[in-house]
């Protein structure tokens, strides 16, 4: 690819896209800024016009990922309305779907070590995505008697942790972690067991 220096049409996004491809291939610490620049078709010096370093570049990839993730979570939540149960289950499935469709973003968000409080913008988009799941949990928890009702933040954290575990162990081809069941089935049955324990769905016959 020919060098285009500082005249690249959208250098900032080209560098993010290059980083995402490298993150997916090698992980968040498996590439250098020089490699990202080469993949984007520019000189290494051009990178520093837009990013302070590799972590800054990864943070931008994470921010864009959270924006996509938040949109998907919102769509999932709305698609389940007016049923609080369907909306809640849809947000769990959206987590798995996002990890599969956007692996580079997912790794940048959850496996790179970049703190969501690194910038106000990153914290805002990350909290928005988490807020959708918490909103779905709040809706559903209204069907539990008040004296048995867990805090919505705990409710949503349990499902987030379950979704994250299924993704990490079984949905991203982790070595030695093959499952005899599709990740979607593992997540659906796990959520079902959790909700059954709270009395939100009927027990099996």
């Amino acid at each position: 690819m020919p060098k285009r220096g500082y005249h690249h049409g959208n250098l900032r996004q080209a560098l993010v896209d290059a980083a995402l491809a490298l993150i997916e291939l090698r992980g968040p610490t498996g590439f250098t800024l020089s490699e990202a620049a080469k993949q984007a078709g520019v000189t290494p010096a051009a990178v520093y016009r837009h990013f302070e370093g590799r972590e800054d570049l990864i943070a931008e990839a994470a921010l864009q990922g959270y924006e996509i993730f938040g949109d998907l979570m919102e769509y999932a939540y709305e698609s389940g309305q007016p049923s609080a149960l369907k909306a809640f289950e849809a947000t769990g499935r959206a987590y798995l779907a996002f990890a599969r469709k956007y692996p580079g973003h997912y790794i940048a968000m959850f496996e790179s070590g970049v703190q969501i409080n690194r910038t106000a913008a990153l914290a805002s988009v990350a909290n928005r995505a988490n807020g959708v799941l918490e909103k779905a949990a709040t809706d559903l928890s209204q069907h539990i008697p008040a004296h048995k009702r867990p805090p919505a933040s705990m409710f949503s954290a349990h499902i987030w942790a379950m979704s994250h575990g299924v993704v990490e162990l079984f949905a991203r081809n982790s070595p030695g972690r093959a499952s005899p069941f599709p990740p979607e089935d593992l997540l659906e049955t796990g959520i079902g067991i959790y909700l059954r324990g709270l009395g939100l769905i009927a027990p099996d016959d």
Side-chain angles (χ1 to χ4, degrees), residues 4 53 64 67 83 95 99 101 110 113 127 131 135 138 151 183 189:
R4 287 171 295 208
Q64 294 185 15
E67 289 176 335
S83 168
Y95 189 104
K101 188 170 183 180
F110 299 117
N127 290 333
K135 179 169 59 175
T138 300
T189 55

Side-chain angles (χ1 to χ4, degrees), residues 13-38:
Q13 189 58 47
L15 288 166
V16 173
D17 292 342
L20 286 167
L22 290 166
I23 289 169
E24 185 177 345
L25 183 65
R26 303 181 192 171
T29 61
F31 72 98
T32 65
L33 277 179
S34 293
E35 289 176 304
K38 182 178 180 180

Side-chain angles (χ1 to χ4, degrees), residues 1 17 21 25 31 33 41 46 51-52 54 59 68 78 93 101 105 110 116 137 139 150-151 155 168 184 192 205:
M1 182 180 294
D17 292 342
L25 183 65
F31 72 98
L33 277 179
F51 300 102
E52 295 179 358
R54 184 175 63 184
I68 298 168
E78 294 297 336
R93 289 192 296 270
K101 188 170 183 180
H105 289 96
F110 299 117
I116 63 170
D139 293 346
F155 199 153
E168 289 297 317
E184 292 83 358
D205 294 332

Side-chain angles (χ1 to χ4, degrees), residues 72-141:
L72 288 175
M73 293 290 277
E74 286 279 8
Y75 178 81
Y77 175 81
E78 294 297 336
S79 71
Q81 294 296 325
S83 168
L85 176 59
K86 288 182 179 179
F88 184 78
E89 291 175 333
T91 57
R93 289 192 296 270
Y95 189 104
L96 180 56
F98 173 80
R100 282 189 152 168
K101 188 170 183 180
Y102 301 96
H105 289 96
Y106 179 90
I107 295 168
M109 292 157 61
F110 299 117
E111 299 177 12
S112 68
V114 169
Q115 298 295 315
I116 63 170
N117 291 326
R118 178 183 173 87
T119 67
L122 181 55
S124 177
V125 293
N127 290 333
R128 172 197 167 209
N130 182 62
V132 177
L133 184 56
E134 190 165 322
K135 179 169 59 175
T138 300
D139 293 346
L140 190 55
S141 67

Side-chain angles (χ1 to χ4, degrees), residues 100 166 170-171 177-187 189:
R100 282 189 152 168
V166 169
F170 304 116
R177 295 289 185 179
S179 169
F181 309 103
E184 292 83 358
D185 291 353
L186 286 172
L187 182 58
T189 55

